[in-house]
Structure formats: C-alpha cells, structure tokens
C-alpha cells in the first residue's frame, strides 16, 4: 500500500537516522548494490532471513537489518528485524507507527532508529 518511491525515501531516512545514532557502521545502498552485483546477488525480492544471511555474508557484516513499511488505513507501520549473520537468529525486532500524512514519517523513522540503537546495545 506504499509507493516504491516513498518506501525508498523512508529507507534512506532510516539509514541516515541509524548513522546519526553513532552506534552503527552503515553501508551506503549504492555500495551494497555494487558489492552484491560483483558477487551475482540482487536485493530485489530479498525479504526472508535466509536471503538476508547470504547477503550479510557477502557484505561481511555481523548483523543485517530487514525492514518494511506498511500502510493500514491512515496508519504507517515501520518494522525492522536484525538478523545475526553467523547463526541466522533474529536479534532485534522493533516497530514504530505514524498516523497521518506520509510527510510525518520522519519522526517515526527517528524513533525507530533510536529503538534499534538501544536494543543493539543489549547484544
């Protein structure tokens, strides 16, 4: 229920918000795509844990985040799961919601990044 361009914008906002927590090393999407392309991988359609683990191994990361943006009526729901690449365990799971226009999502994105950063500190 969310146009791809809006979802991509929210993804970039989330990436920036995570970086701004100073808790993560964030890989730029274009750099990820380049590395994956060299290895013959594609992120399109990669939404399950098994695929995320394979991508995480190629990128040489400890944890990879899977996110979604859904819309239910006037409510936007942002969800993020962190998957430990070494054993495919889900190590964090957080959501944030926003009711209203899409322009108001930035507050929910920032809240979600802070939640993820807080949970990452528990690892």
């Amino acid at each position: 229920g969310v146009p791809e361009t809006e979802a991509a914008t929210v993804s970039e906002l989330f990436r920036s918000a995570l970086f701004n927590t100073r808790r993560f090393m964030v890989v730029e999407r274009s750099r990820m795509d380049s590395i994956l392309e060299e290895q013959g991988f594609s992120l399109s359609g990669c939404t399950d844990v098994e695929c995320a683990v394979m991508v995480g191994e190629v990128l040489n990361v400890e944890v990879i985040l899977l996110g979604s943006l859904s819309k239910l009526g006037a409510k936007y729901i942002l969800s993020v799961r962190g998957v430990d690449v070494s054993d495919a365990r889900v190590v964090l799971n957080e959501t944030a919601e926003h009711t209203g226009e899409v322009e108001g999502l930035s507050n929910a994105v920032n809240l979600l990044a802070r939640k993820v950063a807080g949970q990452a500190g528990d690892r």
Side-chain angles (χ1 to χ4, degrees):
V2 179
E4 192 172 324
T5 55
E6 288 179 6
T9 300
V10 170
S11 179
E12 285 302 315
L13 288 172
F14 184 67
R15 189 175 276 109
S16 293
L18 276 179
F19 177 79
N20 289 336
T21 67
R22 308 259 189 252
R23 303 279 318 250
F24 302 97
M25 291 179 55
V26 179
V27 178
E28 283 293 323
R29 177 67 185 241
S30 60
R31 180 72 180 128
M32 275 185 1
D33 289 342
S34 175
I35 292 168
L36 293 173
E37 187 176 308
E38 289 173 10
Q39 300 296 318
F41 278 86
S42 172
L43 285 178
S44 64
C46 183
T47 57
D48 66 359
V49 171
E50 183 178 318
C51 180
V53 166
M54 289 178 11
V55 169
E57 288 172 347
V58 170
L59 295 173
N60 196 30
V61 298
E62 294 175 21
V63 174
I64 192 159
L65 298 179
L66 300 170
S68 67
L69 172 62
S70 307
K71 188 171 182 188
L72 185 61
K75 182 185 291 189
Y76 290 91
I77 304 165
L78 296 154
S79 301
V80 172
R81 288 184 297 156
V83 178
D84 187 312
V85 173
S86 68
D87 61 9
R89 271 185 318 120
V90 174
V91 294
L92 66 88
N93 187 28
E94 288 291 347
T95 62
E97 298 178 355
H98 167 71
T99 301
E101 298 297 320
V102 69
E103 293 83 5
L105 270 172
S106 58
N107 289 334
V109 167
N110 290 326
L111 172 63
L112 185 58
R114 288 192 306 272
K115 285 179 165 185
V116 168
Q119 257 200 40
D122 296 339
R123 287 195 45 163

